[in-house]
Amino acid sequence: MAYLVFFLGVCFVLGGLAVASNPSPYYGVVGLVLASVVGCGAGLVLFCSNFCMLRMFCFCLAQGFVDFLWLL
């Protein structure tokens, strides 16, 4: 369990770095989606509500979609 939480934390940090230091805006959107998936997975591992994590995931995906459309 500790290894899983550590792995999700590392992936979350890498997703945040991809958003912050993106060489292309498209990679920033991919980093945002990666960070949202890993953040929701970490919330589920740490015994948070499934519905709460689903709402957060949908909100983050919608934000990534808006950012992606803004680039076009």
Side-chain angles (χ1 to χ4, degrees):
M1 178 71 90
Y3 290 122
L4 180 63
V5 173
F6 178 73
F7 176 72
L8 290 174
V10 168
C11 288
F12 186 75
V13 169
L14 290 177
L17 287 174
V19 172
S21 64
N22 53 343
S24 170
Y26 298 109
Y27 294 125
V29 172
V30 170
L32 183 66
V33 170
L34 174 70
S36 69
V37 167
V38 171
C40 291
L44 288 175
V45 168
L46 297 174
F47 305 107
C48 192
S49 168
N50 291 342
F51 180 69
C52 179
M53 291 297 110
L54 181 64
R55 285 191 326 186
M56 186 178 88
F57 180 66
C58 289
F59 177 74
C60 291
L61 281 185
Q63 183 64 36
F65 184 66
V66 168
D67 291 342
F68 183 72
L69 287 179
W70 184 74
L71 293 172
L72 296 178

